[in-house]
Amino acid sequence: QVQLVESGGGLVQPGGSLKLSCAASGFTVSNYAMSWYRKAPGKARESVAEITTTGSSTNYADSVKGRFTISRDNAKNTVYLQMNSLKLEDTAVYYCTISRTIYWGQGTQVTVSS
């Protein structure tokens, strides 16, 4: 059974940092491209970042380039999203997915507020 569990969200001030984790079970993350999406209330779901099976190729939304970094620890079967220089508009529920599938975690809330 495929399961994705996000954690690491919370309340942070503008300019602060958070590191999100996505613990996977039921499959091996090294065999799949993995993505982070986010959903803010009243706004469309947005693809934030993707990492390929090799871990050497990544893609980022323009809105987060230079601030967010996606990575993977194959030994821990976990995907991460390091978020730096956070802005108010980064406030959203962040979801981990297996790219191009319907598998989603429960999400973790990130709130950026002064």
Side-chain angles (χ1 to χ4, degrees), residues 1-6 22-27 29 34 77 96 98 103-106:
Q1 58 278 22
V2 171
Q3 187 174 24
L4 299 167
V5 180
E6 300 96 334
C22 173
S25 59
F27 72 102
V29 299
M34 302 292 296
N77 210 37
C96 177
I98 306 174
Y103 293 110
W104 297 79
Q106 86 287 353

Side-chain angles (χ1 to χ4, degrees), residues 1-5 21-32 34 71-80 96:
Q1 58 278 22
V2 171
Q3 187 174 24
L4 299 167
V5 180
S21 297
C22 173
S25 59
F27 72 102
T28 302
V29 299
S30 64
N31 293 332
Y32 299 89
M34 302 292 296
S71 63
R72 178 177 57 215
D73 186 334
N74 291 334
K76 295 182 178 180
N77 210 37
T78 299
V79 179
Y80 303 97
C96 177

